[in-house]
Amino acid sequence: TQLLEQSPQFLSIQEGENLTVYCNSSSVFSSLQWYRQEPGEGPVLLVTVVTGGEVKKLKRLTFQFGDARKDSSLHITAAQPGDTGLYLCAGDEGGGADGLTFGKGTHLIIQP
Amino acid sequence: DVKVTQSSRYLVKRTGEKVFLECVQDMDHENMFWYRQDPGLGLRLIYFSYDVKMKEKGDIPEGYSVSREKKERFSLILESASTNQTSMYLCASRTGFWQPQHFGDGTRLSIL
């Protein structure tokens, strides 16, 4: 099983600030997904990145897949309290029906 | 929208009981998954199924079994519940290989 290291584990910032969350592995993934989870709910898919170097934007969220498909980042611009939640990256090893390999998540709190 | 429904949001059982967690998806997805989520450990794959009556062990299958008699339903069974199985259980499904997973809202299971 491949491992995904996610950092930081916890992040508390003020509304309006920018932030970046990192997801790193020593192994290659065929695709990588980012999820957001709120307390008492299941993870909700934000984006899937597939191609090395790919950049996807979702409003104020920018997702990037590393050129070698070993790492990814999530950048939030002008964070808002509604962005508060647990952000999870998950790698798909590909080639079969295996489940995703998840990072342990980043707990993000945006203070008004 | 994809709908993955888990039968219970909260469940309290006693040590030694046989426990059934049910998951139903309404999008004719081929693959279904069961994860557990614990603080500091993230999501870990218990079992997955890539087709009806097919099942494969994930990373932590000990103490669990699964059943998939119909395509839309994937059940997780705790054969003899123990306190270390207290956790948040998440079901997910996807169309097929390399497609994103969609999660239910989870079942928070407490074993007393």
Side-chain angles (χ1 to χ4, degrees):
Chain A
T1 301
Q2 299 177 344
L3 295 177
L4 272 171
E5 299 289 335
Q6 202 170 331
S7 63
Q9 189 176 357
F10 297 95
L11 185 59
S12 179
I13 62 172
Q14 295 294 126
E15 181 177 2
E17 294 185 24
N18 301 333
L19 66 109
T20 303
V21 176
Y22 299 94
C23 184
N24 296 296
S25 174
S26 59
S27 303
V28 176
F29 289 98
S30 62
S31 69
L32 196 137
Q33 296 162 26
W34 284 92
Y35 292 83
R36 178 166 161 255
Q37 184 178 20
E38 298 195 31
E41 309 281 335
V44 176
L45 179 70
L46 296 174
V47 77
T48 299
V49 285
V50 178
T51 306
E54 184 176 6
V55 176
K56 282 192 174 179
K57 292 193 175 185
L58 191 64
K59 297 184 180 177
R60 294 175 293 100
L61 279 60
T62 301
F63 305 85
Q64 185 163 7
F65 202 13
D67 291 341
R69 290 185 288 128
K70 293 183 179 181
D71 56 89
S72 181
S73 64
L74 158 60
H75 182 79
I76 301 179
T77 304
Q80 298 178 2
D83 295 328
T84 293
L86 175 66
Y87 289 81
L88 298 161
C89 66
D92 190 335
E93 298 180 29
D98 298 52
L100 297 169
T101 299
F102 278 86
K104 292 184 180 179
T106 295
H107 293 267
L108 176 63
I109 296 173
I110 309 301
Q111 301 182 27
Chain B
D1 274 354
V2 176
K3 186 69 175 175
V4 179
T5 303
Q6 294 184 231
S7 54
S8 304
R9 294 295 297 272
Y10 301 94
L11 205 54
V12 180
K13 296 292 182 180
R14 295 213 172 268
T15 304
E17 282 191 67
K18 191 169 185 176
V19 181
F20 293 85
L21 302 183
E22 305 288 343
C23 175
V24 176
Q25 49 92 5
D26 66 355
M27 288 302 292
D28 201 36
H29 284 178
E30 298 286 336
N31 306 155
M32 296 188 74
F33 306 84
W34 275 106
Y35 296 87
R36 62 177 285 177
Q37 183 176 27
D38 300 288
L41 296 177
L43 276 79
R44 294 177 292 166
L45 180 65
I46 305 171
Y47 266 97
F48 62 95
S49 167
Y50 51 87
D51 204 349
V52 178
K53 296 191 185 295
M54 309 297 279
K55 58 186 179 183
E56 295 289 339
K57 293 181 180 179
D59 298 319
I60 51 165
E62 296 77 19
Y64 303 94
S65 63
V66 290
S67 172
R68 192 163 180 207
E69 295 297 317
K70 293 184 177 181
K71 192 174 186 179
E72 67 271 17
R73 186 180 298 271
F74 192 33
S75 303
L76 179 69
I77 304 157
L78 285 64
E79 298 290 343
S80 179
S82 64
T83 55
N84 63 12
Q85 291 177 310
T86 290
S87 186
M88 172 73 143
Y89 289 87
L90 290 162
C91 174
S93 72
R94 68 180 183 189
T95 308
F97 299 174
W98 306 298
Q99 298 303 309
Q101 294 188 18
H102 299 271
F103 285 83
D105 282 337
T107 296
R108 188 164 293 282
L109 175 64
S110 295
I111 306 296
L112 305 179

